[in-house]
Amino acid sequence: MEPAVVALFVCRSLVCVLGILGNVALLVSLLKQSSFKTFEIFLAGMASSNLVESFLVDVPDLITELAGLRLERWFCNVLKLMSGVGETGSILFTLLICVFRYQKLRDAATRVNLPTVLDRVRNAWLLSAVSWIVAFSFSLPAILMELPKEDEFVSYGQGNETDSRACSSDLFDCPLLNCSLGRQVYKLAYMLLLNGLPLIIILVCSFLMVKVLYHNHKALSDQPPAPGPEPRPGRPGRQAAFQRSTQAVLAALFIFQLAWILHLVFQFALDSQKFPYWSQADFFLSASYSTTSPYIYAIGNNLFRLKSCF
């Protein structure tokens, strides 16, 4: 293997390990919580979706590349299905986290003690189940449609090296200008409904959350200081903890927006069959959110504590 290939493989392996550790730690911390509320349910769903893609797609792909194996077509279909389920599930749970947090932030001033629709744990579990069903249903057509023939795959290997692109986990793995009508319609519908629409909603909700935080900060700055002795330093109140949690959500959503905007550009501007580093680029774009988000969410919500993980 060439040095550049080795360096890419090492980087992918490190990112994969960091992502698995972060999502497992987040999931364990959530399961250790005394109360499992809506926000924690959505976080657990996102972490589980990330682990589906990491454990069932990225790890086998790295092992296959390291061993130089050429997998059977049915196993490639399983990788493709799990990749779609994990990727789509992560998007949908991120969307739920974003909408729920904006709803709580918007209504904080007028409905502090009144529950919202998403506050009901039963509704949260129902939306989580719907998210998994949608992720599976929209990923299943990718393996039911006729796949490209073996000779349609472009070989990038040299000598006797095995081409990992012959077993791609990409849902739309067919030539950009030579793809069947059914797969083109499927790709367009998938991108619009499960990538473009959630991205637009998250962009709008993120902007509105920043706007609400700005107005709240401005209102607090305009208020005169209260008379009397200054409060003693201690543990931050619920409002400060909620603000810190919201800032962590916004930070994770910013990474999500950047990664998926670039992902959409790659999907429509480049041909996965002719771009030699497609799988690496797709991996790092997806992993940029699935690897960093558990750490951001956990630190912002004070979940990474030793007593939470053990």
Side-chain angles (χ1 to χ4, degrees):
M1 297 175 69
E2 298 180 358
V5 177
V6 174
L8 277 175
F9 180 83
V10 172
C11 290
R12 289 179 63 193
S13 301
L14 290 176
V15 170
C16 184
V17 170
L18 288 174
I20 291 175
L21 291 177
N23 284 287
V24 168
L26 175 60
L27 198 57
V28 171
S29 299
L30 291 171
L31 294 176
K32 292 287 184 178
Q33 297 294 309
S34 57
S35 59
F36 214 54
K37 299 181 181 179
T38 297
F39 187 70
E40 287 77 14
I41 293 173
F42 292 160
L43 277 182
M46 184 210 66
S48 301
S49 300
N50 293 338
L51 287 174
V52 167
E53 189 167 10
S54 297
F55 269 126
L56 303 181
V57 181
D58 296 336
V59 171
D61 187 51
L62 289 170
I63 295 175
T64 300
E65 183 177 347
L66 180 64
L69 301 175
R70 190 178 184 88
L71 301 179
E72 297 292 336
R73 177 65 64 174
W74 68 268
F75 194 79
C76 293
N77 290 343
V78 173
L79 292 182
K80 191 184 297 288
L81 178 63
M82 292 298 101
S83 176
V85 171
E87 186 177 277
T88 307
S90 180
I91 294 173
L92 295 177
F93 281 109
T94 301
L95 175 62
L96 292 174
I97 291 171
C98 179
V99 172
F100 175 69
R101 179 46 54 96
Y102 168 66
Q103 188 181 46
K104 298 294 290 184
L105 184 64
R106 181 197 61 188
D107 298 338
T110 57
R111 290 205 261 170
V112 176
N113 296 320
L114 295 179
T116 63
V117 175
L118 292 179
D119 274 322
R120 300 175 182 174
V121 176
R122 180 180 300 178
N123 292 341
W125 284 116
L126 179 62
L127 286 174
S128 298
V130 170
S131 298
W132 285 111
I133 293 172
V134 170
F136 180 82
S137 300
F138 273 80
S139 303
L140 190 60
I143 66 173
L144 297 180
M145 293 182 179
E146 184 179 358
L147 293 172
K149 299 178 181 178
E150 293 292 335
D151 56 2
E152 290 180 358
F153 287 99
V154 180
S155 178
Y156 304 115
Q158 296 180 0
N160 295 326
E161 295 181 5
T162 302
D163 177 22
S164 62
R165 295 289 301 142
C167 184
S168 172
S169 58
D170 184 17
L171 288 177
F172 321 108
D173 193 29
C174 61
L176 185 64
L177 300 177
N178 187 25
C179 195
S180 65
L181 179 61
R183 295 186 72 84
Q184 289 180 4
V185 172
Y186 168 63
K187 177 178 180 178
L188 183 61
Y190 185 97
M191 287 294 179
L192 289 178
L193 295 177
L194 296 180
N195 288 166
L197 183 59
L199 181 59
I200 292 174
I201 296 175
I202 290 174
L203 281 168
V204 173
C205 289
S206 298
F207 171 77
L208 294 176
M209 280 193 284
V210 172
K211 185 178 178 180
V212 172
L213 288 176
Y214 172 76
H215 286 302
N216 290 345
H217 177 74
K218 187 177 180 180
L220 291 175
S221 300
D222 295 339
Q223 288 181 356
E230 295 183 359
R232 296 180 180 180
R235 296 182 62 182
R238 295 181 60 181
Q239 185 176 0
F242 180 76
Q243 184 174 359
R244 180 185 177 185
S245 173
T246 302
Q247 292 172 350
V249 170
L250 285 171
L253 292 179
F254 173 78
I255 297 175
F256 174 88
Q257 294 161 28
L258 182 62
W260 284 100
I261 288 174
L262 292 176
H263 177 80
L264 290 176
V265 171
F266 267 66
Q267 284 287 348
F268 287 104
L270 298 176
D271 193 336
S272 62
Q273 295 288 324
K274 296 182 179 179
F275 184 54
Y277 299 103
W278 174 271
S279 60
Q280 290 84 355
D282 185 64
F283 169 82
F284 283 115
L285 284 176
S286 178
S288 62
Y289 175 72
S290 61
T291 300
T292 58
S293 59
Y295 296 99
I296 296 174
Y297 285 123
I299 293 174
N301 292 275
N302 199 26
L303 292 173
F304 277 178
R305 295 173 293 179
L306 290 179
K307 66 178 182 179
S308 297
C309 298
F310 299 99

